[in-house]
Amino acid sequence: MSDLKNLLLHRNGFVATIQLNRPQVLNALNMELMDELIALFDSLDKDASVRCIVLTGNEKAFAAGADIKEMANATAVEMLARDQFSKWDRIRKVKKPIIAAVSGFALGGGCELMMHCDIVIASDTAKIGQPEINIGVMPGAGGTQRMTRAVGKVLAMELVLTGRFLTAEEALQAGLINKVVPVEFYLEEAQKLAKEISNRPPVAVRLAKEAVLKSFDTTMEIGLEFERKNFYLLFSSEDMREGMAAFIEKRKPEWKGK
Ligand code: CAA
């Protein structure tokens, strides 16, 4: 995709890094940016030369939320017709792992986009929250659901009802993010982790991600059955034979992604 207006794409080996690129508005997520992002995720998901995706912004902002100027005059019926947030479900359905590399503001839709990712590496300058209440609305792209599952009811309620921002350290303590590093290293750290995951067998990575995500949508009973089926399915992969043979022969496995 060469005609990106609001995103930058960088590739290194099996890792693709997408950078949100509207720095003049702290990467506010307008509809054009989100449409580009969803299309890019779709195309990277189908691209066999990509095994892991990093999503980042810049040092000052991962993203400061949905674009307020684009919504300020909209009616409910217009918002319904745009149906913007339902398109975000396509990010949830990306099969490859997505690592968010977050610095500065991750607010409102920016926080919700972060929570669509599978792993989050943050800089020590990150400020994370759901401040929609302060402009007369509430989270609309999953914030009330994903935040609550990630940090529990009482903290989610506080964040959603007051709009208070969490520091990176607080977000780490609350289990919302994986790791905090000094600001100069957050992207490098996320890309290092992405490289590590991209050196794992891709079919197993895919089915494992799918099984973890399943736990959000189902009962323990059905989730366990789903997990077991994915586990058994991996016995039909060449990489499973290679992985176990390499272990027994005390050598490094060579993954084919088959
Ligand atoms: N939408 C549109 N523009 C935004 C924006 C947003 N969400 N956030 C920041 N900007 C713009 C500002 O309007 C400003 O543009 P101008 O220079 O043209 O005035 C520019 O980015 C820089 O912002 P500030 O001057 O405000 O920067 P600051 O450092 O003083 O403050 C901030 C930073 C605290 C993040 C502040 O910009 C802010 O509060 N932003 C809005 C955060 C917010 O409410 N997000 C939720 C949006 S609603 C939503 O996301 C719904 C949903 O669930 C999907």
Side-chain angles (χ1 to χ4, degrees), residues 244-251:
M244 294 198 185
F247 175 82
I248 291 164
E249 292 158 21
K250 298 189 188 301
R251 62 174 174 82

Side-chain angles (χ1 to χ4, degrees), residues 41-62:
F41 269 129
D42 272 350
S43 100
L44 294 175
D45 210 22
K46 288 186 194 116
D47 181 342
S49 71
V50 174
R51 292 190 184 170
C52 194
I53 302 167
V54 173
L55 178 64
T56 195
N58 55 52
E59 225 174 271
K60 186 146 187 232
F62 177 70

